[in-house]
Amino acid sequence: MSSFQPQFRVALRGEALLTSPRYNKGTAFTLAERKAFSLVGRLPCQINTLDEQCKRAYAQFQTCETPIRKNSFLQSLKDQNWVLYYSLISRYLREMVPIIYTPTEAEAISEYSHLFRRSEGLYLTLKDQDSMEQDFLEQIKDRDIDLVVCSDAEAILGIGDQGVGGIGISTAKSAIYTLIGGMDPSKSLSVTLDVGTDNADLLNDDLYVGWSHQRVRGEEYDRFIDKFVQLVRKYLSGCLLHFEDFGVTNAQRLLQKYRTSHSVFNDDIQGTGAVTLACIMAAVGVTKSKLSDQRYIIFGAGSAGMGIAHQLRDAIVQLNNFDESQANKLFYLLDKDGLVTNELMMTTSVRAELHPFARPNAEWHGVQRDKDGKIRLLEVVKHIKPTVLIGCSTSAGAFTEDVVKAMAVGCERPIILPLSNPSRLVEVNPKDAIDWTNGKALLATGSPFPPARMPNGRDYVIAECNNALIYPGLGFGAILAQSRYMTDSMIIAGARRLASLSPALSDFDDALLPDFVEAPHVNFEIGIAVAEQAIVEGTARVNWTEDQVRDEASKK
């Protein structure tokens, strides 16, 4: 990234400047600036460097005794001084990202109405949609917006429907785009789409600050979402529109509806799929095999699970020259009703997007079923001998000792990815997976875990398969190239670049993905790969060649 420090002509003075988080520098204002902007007498006389301000702020952060108090402190700092907020977190990335993002942000969102102090972002409510265009234009007036992050908050961070509190995940995602993707925070817009809530605790809470109404669905919901998307397309045609934490019945459907008419990205589907793809690419690099050589079990067929299935399938089609139907046959999906088979499709209301992955009934004659006639995980593992086992079910402990040992019997280096968040919902503790496979497993998790001791005495570093390792770079690349769309091949290009940076490729017992503290550098590289691909396939609006992308990216 460029080290160039921009200068601004600012019309604000005095108290107005000190209360503007974008321009406020606190005690870092120089004497000349204090005189020019009528700040002498409004600040203590001592002038601090940014390093000194960060030292003070970190000491204050350390006095906060619980994660939620630390979250509140950082939110307050963000409300006062953007430069200090982003500088502080950048210096303590590993420590502070879990505070402003998952897992702590989930608690902050669940308590949003009780912690509310100051509005942040754009609140669009279905009951007030008649003024939506006016409200939207007020928010973007005189602003150059590159990124819009929106959520309807139906499926927040593993805690479900959180109503208007969804603004918290939109602002958290936007902050990660800045911290890790290097994007200007003044060029992002965080939006909550308040369509009501089915969360009884919120509906019965007299302090709830959102629309206290049952969640609206169906055609009325679709019209509201479409009205918002069309405003984005009309007034912000060059921006990236990021969908976040939409429910399973809407996430994939909305992505497919809009991705061919605008640059649209859904992190729960595409980000989760992309980082998992990169992780598995690194793992097959260790095993000296190909994506198309694997047998995949995906345990949990919600938005994340389907995003992973689609991303892996599309990569196999593109990179290994399979057709789509061939690639689908490599996957075995399980949801709450067990293995998704043709028989299950006929007897339950399984979502249409699962149909291409349904297994033929003839494959399962003689396989043991439970008392409800369902085929459960252990029997699938025993029957197909998978090489890759992915968990996104939030079913804690689902990868039992029997399951893991059965997988290890049929596979020299089983690839096991228990990705559910938060850590208390993980399908298997990685330490147990290492023990049960005698150190053979290649592992990554969705939450941070300490290293696991291997039989040879070495510590195996557990890679964190965190979307934040890739989605800021995907977004940065699309925005850098001013791409008309976020295509599958752009996402695959980003995943390939991430996989190429895997420590395990130089040491087979090292982590499958780079350390999170390297995320800014990693995402810069991902952004370059994405922008290059956009230029190659003709979706970019910029008039650069591939060879110019790195130089142009370095100027940002």
Side-chain angles (χ1 to χ4, degrees):
M1 299 288 182
S2 172
S3 59
F4 171 71
Q5 298 297 316
Q7 294 183 331
F8 301 96
R9 296 182 66 85
V10 180
L12 302 174
R13 296 170 62 83
E15 194 68 19
L17 180 56
L18 292 178
T19 56
S20 168
R22 179 180 179 184
Y23 296 114
N24 178 31
K25 294 165 59 177
T27 57
F29 280 111
T30 66
L31 181 59
E33 289 170 335
R34 294 180 188 209
K35 290 179 178 179
F37 294 113
S38 300
L39 299 178
V40 176
R42 296 181 186 273
L43 290 166
C45 67
Q46 185 65 43
I47 297 170
N48 289 132
T49 64
L50 184 57
D51 287 342
E52 290 170 335
Q53 287 183 307
C54 285
K55 181 179 179 181
R56 178 188 298 120
Y58 185 62
Q60 294 168 349
F61 173 84
Q62 288 181 304
T63 66
C64 301
E65 297 179 352
T66 63
I68 192 64
R69 288 186 180 277
K70 291 178 178 180
N71 178 283
S72 294
F73 168 77
L74 291 174
Q75 182 61 44
S76 176
L77 183 61
K78 184 181 179 185
D79 290 342
Q80 299 169 55
N81 186 330
W82 283 1
V83 171
L84 181 53
Y85 170 81
Y86 287 111
S87 296
L88 177 66
I89 298 175
S90 294
R91 296 168 191 229
Y92 301 97
L93 206 61
R94 189 198 302 277
E95 181 179 1
M96 292 187 177
V97 164
I99 299 297
I100 66 163
Y101 186 46
T102 180
T104 308
E105 184 61 19
E107 182 180 355
I109 290 170
S110 69
E111 295 294 325
Y112 180 76
S113 292
H114 291 259
L115 297 174
F116 182 84
R117 294 173 184 168
R118 177 177 176 173
S119 63
E120 183 177 22
L122 174 60
Y123 302 77
L124 296 177
T125 307
L126 190 143
K127 73 180 183 67
D128 299 324
Q129 62 180 301
D130 288 348
S131 63
M132 184 191 292
E133 185 166 11
Q134 177 185 343
D135 300 337
F136 183 85
L137 291 174
E138 283 291 330
Q139 278 278 353
I140 67 171
K141 184 179 179 181
D142 299 325
R143 295 178 64 186
D144 181 14
I145 302 294
D146 286 335
L147 170 70
V148 176
V149 182
C150 68
S151 178
D152 76 348
E154 188 176 5
I156 294 285
L157 293 172
I159 58 173
D161 188 342
Q162 296 299 319
V164 76
I167 192 66
I169 193 58
S170 296
T171 56
K173 287 285 183 177
S174 295
I176 297 296
Y177 270 112
T178 295
L179 287 162
I180 294 175
M183 296 188 194
D184 184 343
S186 70
K187 294 185 177 183
S188 68
L189 176 64
S190 302
V191 182
T192 188
L193 300 165
D194 188 354
V195 295
T197 177
D198 289 337
N199 185 327
D201 291 338
L202 298 180
L203 292 173
N204 294 323
D205 186 349
D206 58 1
L207 293 180
Y208 179 55
V209 296
W211 186 32
S212 191
H213 187 281
Q214 288 290 324
R215 181 172 285 272
V216 172
R217 302 184 185 276
E219 292 183 6
E220 188 177 3
Y221 171 91
D222 286 352
R223 286 194 298 270
F224 176 72
I225 299 298
D226 189 66
K227 188 172 185 177
F228 164 69
V229 173
Q230 298 312 324
L231 288 174
V232 172
R233 294 186 63 213
K234 180 178 179 180
Y235 294 108
L236 302 173
S237 59
C239 81
L240 174 68
L241 177 57
H242 175 129
F243 286 113
E244 185 67 29
D245 285 343
F246 282 72
V248 67
T249 59
N250 293 317
Q252 182 70 39
R253 184 175 63 84
L254 293 176
L255 176 63
Q256 293 305 320
K257 180 176 180 179
Y258 294 113
R259 67 178 309 197
T260 57
S261 60
H262 192 82
S263 183
V264 172
F265 177 72
N266 184 303
D267 186 43
D268 307 292
I269 296 171
Q270 295 165 297
T272 300
V275 73
T276 306
L277 170 60
C279 190
I280 294 173
M281 283 178 165
V284 300
V286 171
T287 62
K288 304 297 183 184
S289 57
K290 297 184 296 186
L291 291 174
S292 57
D293 294 332
Q294 314 309 313
R295 295 176 299 281
Y296 302 89
I297 291 180
I298 298 179
F299 185 71
S303 294
M306 292 310 301
I308 292 168
H310 286 133
Q311 202 71 68
L312 285 166
R313 188 267 315 279
D314 293 344
I316 291 166
V317 169
Q318 180 175 318
L319 303 178
N320 299 141
N321 298 317
F322 273 44
D323 64 38
E324 191 170 293
S325 61
Q326 276 182 297
N328 287 340
K329 294 175 183 177
L330 301 175
F331 293 87
Y332 300 79
L333 274 55
L334 290 93
D335 67 2
K336 66 181 185 303
D337 293 313
L339 180 69
V340 177
T341 63
N342 289 334
E343 178 185 3
L344 187 69
M345 305 296 293
M346 296 169 59
T347 58
T348 62
S349 55
V350 177
R351 302 189 316 281
E353 62 182 314
L354 275 70
H355 287 208
F357 298 98
R359 304 303 307 189
N361 299 332
E363 291 180 348
W364 304 94
H365 290 322
V367 174
Q368 184 177 336
R369 299 168 182 252
D370 67 11
K371 60 182 177 59
D372 298 318
K374 312 301 183 186
I375 304 171
R376 298 301 177 183
L377 178 60
L378 178 58
E379 303 311 318
V380 178
V381 171
K382 288 179 178 178
H383 189 61
I384 72 153
K385 296 180 172 54
T387 58
V388 180
L389 176 60
I390 301 168
C392 35
S393 64
T394 65
S395 180
F399 296 173
T400 63
E401 183 173 359
D402 286 343
V403 167
V404 173
K405 285 186 172 179
M407 185 177 180
V409 168
C411 182
E412 179 58 30
R413 295 298 305 266
I415 301 167
I416 302 176
L417 310 180
L419 301 181
S420 289
N421 283 312
S423 54
R424 62 183 172 79
L425 299 179
V426 73
E427 286 82 4
V428 65
N429 187 302
K431 177 185 179 300
D432 291 334
I434 288 289
D435 290 343
W436 296 336
T437 62
N438 197 31
K440 296 194 302 180
L442 296 167
L443 284 157
T445 56
S447 296
F449 276 89
R453 183 59 55 90
M454 298 174 67
N456 63 9
R458 287 187 61 181
D459 280 342
Y460 180 74
V461 179
I462 309 300
E464 186 180 351
C465 197
N466 189 323
N467 294 23
L469 271 177
I470 198 166
Y471 85 77
L474 296 175
F476 172 60
I479 292 169
L480 177 66
Q482 298 176 31
S483 183
R484 295 175 180 83
Y485 318 109
M486 175 74 84
T487 66
D488 290 333
S489 54
M490 289 165 63
I491 295 170
I492 291 170
R496 294 183 76 179
R497 184 63 59 89
L498 174 56
S500 73
L501 300 171
S502 167
L505 297 181
S506 54
D507 179 347
F508 290 169
D509 288 330
D510 208 338
L512 291 174
L513 292 172
D515 191 289
F516 193 73
V517 297
E518 299 176 37
H521 164 70
V522 167
N523 275 275
F524 180 71
E525 291 297 321
I526 291 167
I528 289 172
V530 170
E532 289 172 343
Q533 181 62 32
I535 289 170
V536 167
E537 63 189 50
T539 62
R541 292 186 178 95
V542 296
N543 295 315
W544 309 331
T545 65
E546 287 178 79
D547 295 337
Q548 293 176 290
V549 170
R550 185 173 293 274
D551 286 343
E552 294 295 334
S554 298
K555 297 175 185 177
K556 298 297 181 178

